[in-house]
């Protein structure tokens, strides 16, 4: 019974940890673009993140070329190049909190794509949770005020769309065969880094300023927010429905907005605060649904014994 309960709550715990890591990382990335061009930083952090994973793989097993190389490369382009590249580009001109909120339109794009492509239908209490989350994001995004920093906001939404498509590809890959999460994460990261180097070569920028603040931001991005986080994300996708997993990450932009308020003095307005409250309530509904499902599954397991 205890083992079953722990097994059911592991992906939920991973989701909470991942939300905290990625939520605060918007502050670290905003700090980084003060010292480096967005694609320069993206290239460095992605390659170092992939290298750290390959070192771990080499310590425990032999490094192998991925079986589904084409789909792994596609995953890398969407999950690493698109998601991270558009995010960094958006941060160059936009605030960390606002960019975080816009990127996290991702769960709604996942719901749009997962229904026809993965046959994952939205059911029950998920509907009011989605409505609350959507209303909350609208308050945070304030689309009626898009006249300011429009390009930055559009880039952030494009990052969310690219991330959502990578969710679909990752779920498809895991359904086809049993994949090693560490190897998949490392290879997709390496494939996703290659376009960054092409961009840097074609559009050179100012030299990187290697200040201590930048080094701390780079370390945070390479280890917790890159290598560790993508392993957690792929682990979660393998054990939770894509839509539910994505909606569970809506806590990250709230952390991003609050962290930007405290550390970067990006004070959210009244609408943004109402939005975060709606998102929190939506997450609470999803948590209640998960608790009910867990109790039901545990009850079935006990009866089966």
């Amino acid at each position: 019974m205890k083992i079953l309960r722990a097994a059911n709550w592991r992906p939920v715990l991973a989701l909470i940890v991942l939300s905290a890591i990625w939520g605060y990382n918007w502050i670290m990335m905003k700090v980084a673009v003060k010292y480096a061009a967005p694609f320069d930083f993206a290239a460095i952090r992605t390659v170092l993140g992939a290298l750290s994973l390959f070192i771990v793989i080499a310590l425990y097993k032999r490094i192998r070329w991925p079986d589904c190389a084409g789909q792994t490369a596609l995953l890398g382009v969407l999950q690493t190049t698109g998601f991270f590249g558009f995010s960094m580009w958006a941060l160059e001109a936009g605030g960390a909190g606002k960019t975080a909120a816009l990127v996290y339109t991702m769960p709604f794009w996942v719901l749009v794509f997962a229904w026809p492509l993965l046959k994952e239908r939205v059911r029950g209490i998920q509907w009011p949770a989605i409505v609350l989350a959507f209303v909350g994001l609208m308050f945070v995004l304030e689309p009626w005020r898009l006249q300011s920093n429009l390009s930055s906001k559009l880039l952030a939404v494009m990052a969310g769309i690219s991330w959502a498509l990578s969710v679909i590809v990752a779920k498809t890959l895991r359904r086809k065969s049993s994949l090693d999460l560490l190897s998949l994460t490392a290879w997709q990261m390496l494939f996703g880094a290659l376009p960054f180097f092409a961009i840097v070569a074609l559009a050179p920028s100012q030299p990187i300023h290697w200040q201590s603040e930048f080094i701390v931001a780079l370390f945070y991005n390479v280890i917790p927010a890159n290598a560790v986080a993508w392993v957690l994300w792929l682990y979660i996708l393998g054990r939770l429905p894509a839509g539910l997993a994505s909606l569970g990450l809506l806590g990250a932009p709230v952390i991003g907005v609050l962290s930007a308020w405290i550390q970067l003095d990006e004070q959210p307005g009244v609408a943004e605060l109402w939005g975060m409250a709606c998102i929190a309530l939506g997450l609470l509904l999803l948590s209640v649904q998960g608790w009910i499902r867990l109790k039901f599954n545990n009850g079935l397991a006990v009866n089966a014994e």
Side-chain angles (χ1 to χ4, degrees), residues 173-193:
L173 269 171
R174 289 187 62 84
R175 286 181 177 182
K176 283 186 174 180
S177 60
S178 178
L179 299 171
D180 178 72
L181 283 178
L182 201 61
S183 179
L184 176 63
T185 305
W187 281 110
Q188 70 83 18
M189 206 176 291
L190 181 61
F191 288 138

Side-chain angles (χ1 to χ4, degrees), residues 200-258:
V200 170
L202 293 173
S205 56
Q206 295 296 320
I208 297 172
H209 299 286
W210 291 89
Q211 304 296 322
S212 59
E213 196 175 26
F214 174 77
I215 294 172
V216 170
L218 179 61
F219 174 82
Y220 187 93
N221 271 262
V222 170
I223 306 301
N226 196 19
V228 173
W230 283 120
V231 171
L232 284 174
W233 178 236
L234 292 171
Y235 167 79
I236 291 163
L237 286 179
R239 286 155 181 81
L240 293 177
L244 184 59
S246 303
L247 284 169
L249 280 179
L250 284 175
V254 175
I255 294 171
V257 170
L258 290 175

Side-chain angles (χ1 to χ4, degrees), residues 76 142 163 195 261 278:
E142 296 179 279
W163 187 7
W261 185 2
C278 289

Side-chain angles (χ1 to χ4, degrees), residues 116-137:
L117 297 178
L118 300 179
K119 310 302 180 187
E120 293 185 1
R121 300 175 63 87
V122 179
R123 294 183 175 87
I125 203 172
Q126 289 179 354
W127 281 111
I130 289 170
V131 171
L132 279 168
F134 179 77
V135 171
L137 276 179

Side-chain angles (χ1 to χ4, degrees), residues 5-248:
R5 185 178 292 113
N8 285 335
W9 279 108
R10 279 179 193 140
V12 177
L13 179 60
L15 200 54
I16 293 170
V17 172
L18 185 58
S19 293
I21 291 174
W22 272 343
Y24 187 71
N25 192 45
W26 294 100
I27 309 304
M28 292 288 96
M29 292 192 294
K30 183 64 177 178
V31 168
V33 294
K34 293 194 304 183
Y35 302 99
F39 291 112
D40 289 359
F41 178 69
I44 294 171
R45 67 90 78 170
T46 305
V47 165
L48 290 178
L51 179 61
S52 66
L53 287 180
F54 279 119
I55 290 173
V56 174
I57 294 171
L59 291 174
Y60 291 96
K61 63 187 77 174
R62 185 170 59 89
I63 297 175
R64 294 176 57 252
W65 182 257
D67 294 330
C68 304
Q71 284 187 289
T72 303
L74 177 60
L75 178 64
V77 169
L78 292 170
Q79 185 166 282
T80 297
T81 312
F83 165 63
F84 191 68
F86 284 130
S87 296
M88 292 302 302
W89 201 356
L91 278 171
E92 188 178 27
K98 181 72 75 174
T99 301
L102 285 165
V103 169
Y104 279 85
T105 55
M106 177 272 290
F108 305 110
W109 296 112
V110 169
L111 291 172
V112 170
F113 299 135
W115 198 325
L117 297 178
L118 300 179
K119 310 302 180 187
E120 293 185 1
R121 300 175 63 87
V122 179
R123 294 183 175 87
I125 203 172
Q126 289 179 354
W127 281 111
I130 289 170
V131 171
L132 279 168
F134 179 77
V135 171
L137 276 179
M138 287 302 101
F139 274 121
V140 173
L141 305 181
E142 296 179 279
W144 52 89
R145 297 180 61 187
L146 284 177
Q147 66 273 14
S148 60
N149 288 332
L150 178 60
S151 61
S152 172
K153 293 175 180 179
L154 289 176
L155 287 168
V157 173
M158 289 172 68
I161 293 173
S162 184
W163 187 7
L165 289 171
S166 77
V167 171
I168 305 301
V169 174
K171 293 286 285 187
T172 303
L173 269 171
R174 289 187 62 84
R175 286 181 177 182
K176 283 186 174 180
S177 60
S178 178
L179 299 171
D180 178 72
L181 283 178
L182 201 61
S183 179
L184 176 63
T185 305
W187 281 110
Q188 70 83 18
M189 206 176 291
L190 181 61
F191 288 138
L194 298 180
F196 287 139
F197 285 98
I199 294 170
V200 170
L202 293 173
S205 56
Q206 295 296 320
I208 297 172
H209 299 286
W210 291 89
Q211 304 296 322
S212 59
E213 196 175 26
F214 174 77
I215 294 172
V216 170
L218 179 61
F219 174 82
Y220 187 93
N221 271 262
V222 170
I223 306 301
N226 196 19
V228 173
W230 283 120
V231 171
L232 284 174
W233 178 236
L234 292 171
Y235 167 79
I236 291 163
L237 286 179
R239 286 155 181 81
L240 293 177
L244 184 59
S246 303
L247 284 169

